[in-house]
Amino acid sequence: MLNKKVEDICNRQVEREGYSASLYLAMASWAETNGLSGVAGWMYNQSDEERGHMLKFIKYINERGGKAVIPALKKPQAEYKNVEDIFKEVLKHEEFITASINEIVALTLDEKDFNTHNFLQWFVMEQVEEEASVRIILDKLRLVGKNNMYEFDRDIVGLRKSASNATNKP
Ligand code: OFO
């Protein structure tokens, strides 16, 4: 049975994962309406993954005798300067999510909730992978510069998370 503190912080994460899904949908929509179908595809995919993360938390909370609360989500930013601006925002957001997951991990140790601690290990690894994949994209963006967005948009299709981490999936 989840204690109230752990249940509440897991519900906070339901909201944060849901917001991640919305944020990446907003970015997908921006990219799609700016002729960047490769970037849009990456963002749609990422949004689906985030919904998967939210579902993992919802199901875990309910399975452990808590009650998952489906939150209202704040409206994500709709306009962006350019693709680099978008991916810088993605990295900032993922770093925030990593810190958020780490806070839950720390609480589970304080509360001696080793089941939830174990459940969270998948997310700890996922965050390493997500941050790394966005940093690779930002490096590539710096290399291509602003003038070769056509090529970048085509290449990003191959820049999904590395195959070596393919087992770390929801
Ligand atoms: Fe982007 O990993 Fe969940 O939020």
Side-chain angles (χ1 to χ4, degrees):
M1 182 89 181
L2 285 180
N3 81 24
K4 183 78 178 114
K5 273 196 208 166
V6 175
E7 180 179 347
D8 287 349
I9 204 168
C10 285
N11 267 315
R12 186 186 77 175
Q13 197 62 27
V14 168
E15 191 269 333
R16 290 182 175 177
E17 300 294 343
Y19 179 73
S20 303
S22 279
L23 176 65
Y24 298 151
L25 269 185
M27 290 172 171
S29 184
W30 179 88
E32 197 161 52
T33 52
N34 280 278
L36 295 157
S37 58
V39 173
W42 193 95
M43 289 294 168
Y44 280 127
N45 233 312
Q46 198 61 30
S47 175
D48 284 348
E49 285 199 14
E50 299 299 355
R51 184 173 183 280
H53 299 171
M54 178 175 66
L55 275 177
K56 269 178 177 271
F57 271 97
I58 290 172
K59 290 183 175 167
Y60 179 76
I61 294 166
N62 290 340
E63 192 177 274
R64 301 278 303 136
K67 183 159 177 39
V69 180
I70 309 306
L73 300 172
K74 79 172 193 252
K75 187 177 170 193
Q77 183 183 335
E79 293 303 325
Y80 297 89
K81 282 203 296 271
N82 51 44
V83 173
E84 194 173 359
D85 180 38
I86 279 202
F87 280 101
K88 280 183 177 162
E89 281 301 313
V90 173
L91 183 58
K92 202 165 86 185
H93 184 69
E94 288 303 327
E95 286 170 345
F96 165 73
I97 293 293
T98 300
S100 179
I101 295 288
N102 288 345
E103 247 183 86
I104 314 177
V105 172
L107 181 71
T108 61
L109 290 178
D110 286 348
E111 298 295 317
K112 297 190 173 19
D113 180 346
F114 302 115
N115 296 314
T116 306
H117 187 269
N118 191 43
F119 163 74
L120 290 167
Q121 296 314 300
W122 183 90
F123 287 91
V124 170
M125 287 311 300
E126 175 71 5
Q127 285 312 118
V128 171
E129 202 185 317
E130 292 214 334
E131 284 190 25
S133 77
V134 179
R135 287 198 183 94
I136 287 169
I137 289 171
L138 279 168
D139 285 347
K140 178 137 180 113
L141 272 168
R142 272 177 218 116
L143 284 176
V144 298
K146 298 202 173 23
N147 299 328
N148 217 343
M149 231 5 96
Y150 173 80
E151 222 174 273
F152 174 82
D153 190 56
R154 190 193 58 199
D155 289 354
I156 193 172
V157 177
L159 286 178
R160 295 292 302 155
K161 291 176 202 165
S162 69
S164 62
N165 288 319
T167 48
N168 191 29
K169 287 282 166 284

